[in-house]
């Protein structure tokens, strides 16, 4: 895509656009000890790899990516002309906002996401990227990206009306190594929105 087309393509989802990386906890651990742990937990990746969202790197900004396009990683100041070429717009022409949420087995995450859309003057501008670190089958914590009740029972819930603006990347909780890595994964879900912010998973 060229830059004008990219700026008027929204939302762009990231949760299925993945690449393989070394899991930092496994990569940095004592290898002999890690082999023993992996034997006890067969759900851990034996090769230490995990699939994560790719960083946003559209080819229209050149082969090196948007950071080089915008001042070569800080070597030069960004010009107004360059700045005007980054940042997407919603279908009604408003500047978009990316909100990242990293959650670790947090029962408040789902109502937090619902509240993000409920409080927004223009919820159509938002795209919420969620890293939901959870234990499979744990019914005590609702999935962060799903509404409180099924949409066919209550389609007026904000998480139903704006489901197309919610992007969820699920991580097995056993792979969690703290909030910094979780927020790194959430930042990988950025896809060219005009503004970006992060919030905790229990803020309403």
């Amino acid at each position: 895509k060229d830059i004008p087309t990219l700026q008027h393509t929204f939302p762009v989802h990231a949760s299925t656009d993945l690449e393989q990386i070394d899991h930092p906890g496994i990569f940095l651990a004592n290898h002999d000890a890690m082999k023993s742990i992996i034997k006890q937990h067969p759900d851990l990746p034996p090769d230490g790899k995990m699939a994560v969202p790719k960083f946003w790197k559209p080819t229209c900004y050149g082969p090196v990516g948007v950071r080089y396009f915008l001042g070569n990683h800080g070597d030069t100041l960004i010009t107004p002309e360059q700045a005007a070429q980054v940042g997407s717009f919603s279908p009604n022409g408003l500047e978009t906002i990316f909100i990242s949420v990293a959650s670790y087995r947090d029962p408040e995450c789902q109502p937090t996401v619902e509240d993000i859309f409920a409080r927004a003057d223009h919820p159509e501008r938002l795209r919420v990227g969620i890293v939901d670190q959870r234990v499979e089958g744990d019914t005590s914590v609702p999935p962060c990206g799903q509404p409180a009740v099924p949409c066919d029972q209550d389609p007026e819930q904000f998480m139903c009306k704006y489901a197309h603006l919610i992007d969820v990347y699920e991580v097995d909780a056993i792979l969690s190594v703290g909030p910094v890595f979780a927020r790194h994964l959430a930042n990988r879900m950025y896809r060219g929105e005009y503004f970006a912010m992060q919030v905790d998973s229990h803020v309403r």
Side-chain angles (χ1 to χ4, degrees):
K1 294 179 180 180
D2 58 26
I3 291 176
T5 300
L6 184 68
Q7 287 189 289
H8 290 87
T9 302
F10 178 79
V12 177
H13 290 285
S15 54
T16 58
D17 184 21
L18 307 177
E19 65 180 348
Q20 295 280 328
I21 67 166
D22 291 314
H23 182 280
I26 297 175
F27 179 73
L28 296 173
N30 177 284
H31 289 281
D32 292 334
M34 202 67 234
K35 287 179 182 178
S36 175
I37 293 171
I38 288 173
K39 286 181 181 178
Q40 299 172 38
H41 299 279
D43 45 345
L44 286 172
D47 60 357
K49 303 285 186 181
M50 64 184 295
V52 300
K54 293 179 181 177
F55 282 114
W56 186 67
K57 191 178 179 181
T59 57
C60 59
Y61 293 113
V64 187
V66 70
R67 290 178 183 236
Y68 179 79
F69 177 82
L70 295 177
N72 189 18
H73 297 261
D75 284 351
T76 61
L77 293 175
I78 300 170
T79 68
E81 292 76 22
Q82 288 174 326
Q85 295 183 72
V86 178
S88 61
F89 297 87
S90 65
N92 58 355
L94 297 175
E95 296 157 336
T96 56
I97 305 169
F98 173 65
I99 302 174
S100 69
V101 183
S103 170
Y104 180 80
R105 307 184 69 186
D106 190 345
E108 287 295 306
C109 185
Q110 186 275 335
T112 293
V113 175
E114 177 82 11
D115 205 51
I116 286 171
F117 288 98
R119 288 174 176 267
D121 289 338
H122 295 280
E124 72 279 4
R125 298 176 63 182
L126 309 180
R127 183 177 145 263
V128 178
I130 302 166
V131 173
D132 194 4
Q133 302 164 102
R134 55 184 300 103
V135 174
E136 186 176 355
D138 181 7
T139 58
S140 66
V141 179
C144 192
Q146 297 180 15
V149 299
C151 291
D152 58 357
Q153 296 179 24
D154 184 4
E156 291 304 306
Q157 296 170 99
F158 285 97
M159 291 183 72
C160 297
K161 294 167 68 174
Y162 299 102
H164 63 295
L165 299 176
I166 300 172
D167 209 355
V168 182
Y169 170 70
E170 287 195 0
V171 180
D172 193 322
I174 199 170
L175 294 174
S176 300
V177 287
V180 173
F181 183 57
R183 287 174 175 157
H184 163 79
L185 296 176
N187 288 338
R188 280 175 166 265
M189 300 176 78
Y190 170 80
R191 285 298 179 270
E193 288 80 12
Y194 200 92
F195 299 103
M197 62 181 291
Q198 70 178 28
V199 299
D200 288 338
S201 57
H202 38 262
V203 178
R204 286 192 281 165

